[in-house]
Amino acid sequence: AGSYAFQAQPMGVPGGFVVPPVQNQPTMDGTIWMPVPPSIPNCPPGLEYLTQQVDQILIHQQLELLEIVTGFETSNKYELKNALGQRVYFAAEDTDCLTRNCCGPSRPFTMRIIDNLGREVITLQRPLRCSSCCCPCCLQELEVQAPPGTTVGYVVQNWHACLPKFTIQDEKRMDVLKITGPCVVCSCCEDVNFEVKSVDETCTVGKISKQWTGFVKEMFTDADNFGISFPMDLDVKMKAVMIGACFLIDFMFFEHSGDRRQQAGVW
């Protein structure tokens, strides 16, 4: 993995991510933000949040009332929190109405991630690509920029007949990590785990988990909860790329509410 050194670490308790009680007071609007960290030399501005002994990020998609009532696809919005439940970032999808409702979960998008100072610190760019194993020449890819305009890495889908597989790459297209999902991506009554592995796939160093949120929410909405765990000493740029991988996985496998009803056994 070149300069991106990491060590395998315990994956926490089985079955999900435990969030300890929040220890600081909320702001006027009720949002509890992670304290602003000091600037760090050679660290992209805004990624300092990921250097403070952070080995876990929780991502909660916000419920959209219009989408629930009408089925009309709206722009996705997410809260990104640390293990203490403090908001680290806020993410908003930037797409037009026609793209969202014609292309569905396969749509290209720009995801803008801002910090608690209102700065856009991470930008995710997903072009329109195929995700079928029948088209191995045009599989999914996502570019991660931090700050916007400066590429720090890529998430690249790898062809496989049965398993969802991805590679985390740095800005020079060098492989850093691998991600492997289950053969059947079904979230019925349990979490779905995508294992994060070393490049040679001999060592599991983290995971991206789609968390089961209950029958009603899974059936009627496409609002998802995810947990990302990664080595604490992983380069902050690669932590940002891991966040990008989580968003790509969400759109590819969990975005369509109709698929959710089928997974829940209703259809």
Side-chain angles (χ1 to χ4, degrees):
S3 61
Y4 303 105
F6 54 82
Q7 298 176 347
Q9 296 183 351
M11 297 308 301
V13 297
F17 295 76
V18 177
V19 180
V22 175
Q23 299 178 0
N24 64 330
Q25 296 298 317
T27 58
M28 292 182 63
D29 65 353
T31 300
I32 303 168
W33 283 93
M34 181 177 176
V36 179
S39 60
I40 300 174
N42 301 319
C43 178
L47 297 193
E48 299 93 346
Y49 295 88
L50 302 178
T51 65
Q52 294 190 335
Q53 304 298 309
V54 173
D55 64 349
Q56 183 181 128
I57 292 291
L58 308 173
I59 299 180
H60 303 305
Q61 184 176 350
Q62 295 187 340
L63 290 172
E64 299 291 339
L65 182 59
L66 177 64
E67 188 172 326
I68 295 173
V69 174
T70 67
F72 189 82
E73 187 69 34
T74 58
S75 296
N76 290 350
K77 300 178 180 65
Y78 305 82
E79 284 186 295
L80 285 71
K81 300 179 179 181
N82 62 17
L84 295 176
Q86 302 166 326
R87 184 189 285 181
V88 182
Y89 300 116
F90 181 83
E93 177 190 354
D94 183 3
T95 54
D96 59 73
C97 177
L98 182 63
T99 298
R100 290 194 302 273
N101 289 279
C102 289
C103 298
S106 300
R107 62 187 180 267
F109 64 77
T110 297
M111 191 73 67
R112 306 189 187 280
I113 302 177
I114 64 172
D115 66 4
N116 60 3
L117 297 178
R119 301 177 300 175
E120 183 178 344
V121 296
I122 304 173
T123 302
L124 311 177
Q125 298 277 3
R126 180 202 189 187
L128 183 62
R129 293 286 188 91
C130 179
S131 60
S132 171
C133 63
C134 298
C135 301
C137 60
C138 192
L139 296 178
Q140 292 290 311
E141 182 173 304
L142 183 138
E143 179 183 350
V144 181
Q145 302 173 2
T150 302
T151 301
V152 296
Y154 300 87
V155 184
V156 179
Q157 182 186 10
N158 304 131
W159 185 88
H160 194 280
C162 300
L163 300 176
K165 303 193 75 170
F166 303 87
T167 298
I168 298 292
Q169 297 178 334
D170 64 13
E171 70 276 11
K172 297 179 181 180
R173 295 281 187 174
M174 298 293 293
D175 294 352
V176 178
L177 295 168
K178 298 285 187 177
I179 299 175
T180 302
C183 181
V184 179
V185 182
C186 176
S187 60
C188 184
C189 301
E190 62 182 3
D191 294 352
V192 180
N193 295 318
F194 290 73
E195 293 186 340
V196 181
K197 300 183 178 182
S198 56
V199 175
D200 59 8
E201 301 190 41
T202 60
C203 179
T204 299
V205 300
K207 67 179 177 180
I208 296 174
S209 293
K210 192 278 175 185
Q211 300 169 346
W212 171 254
T213 56
F215 180 81
V216 173
K217 187 174 179 181
E218 294 282 340
M219 176 179 172
F220 292 104
T221 78
D222 59 3
D224 299 311
N225 291 340
F226 284 87
I228 309 173
S229 66
F230 36 61
M232 194 172 293
D233 58 349
L234 184 66
D235 185 276
V236 291
K237 296 178 182 178
M238 294 303 101
K239 290 182 181 180
V241 180
M242 285 276 293
I243 292 173
C246 183
F247 283 112
L248 182 59
I249 288 171
D250 179 27
F251 274 80
M252 288 181 64
F253 301 106
F254 305 107
E255 174 64 14
H256 198 284
S257 58
D259 293 340
R260 256 179 192 50
R261 296 187 183 98
Q262 188 175 17
Q263 291 169 3
V266 178
W267 297 353

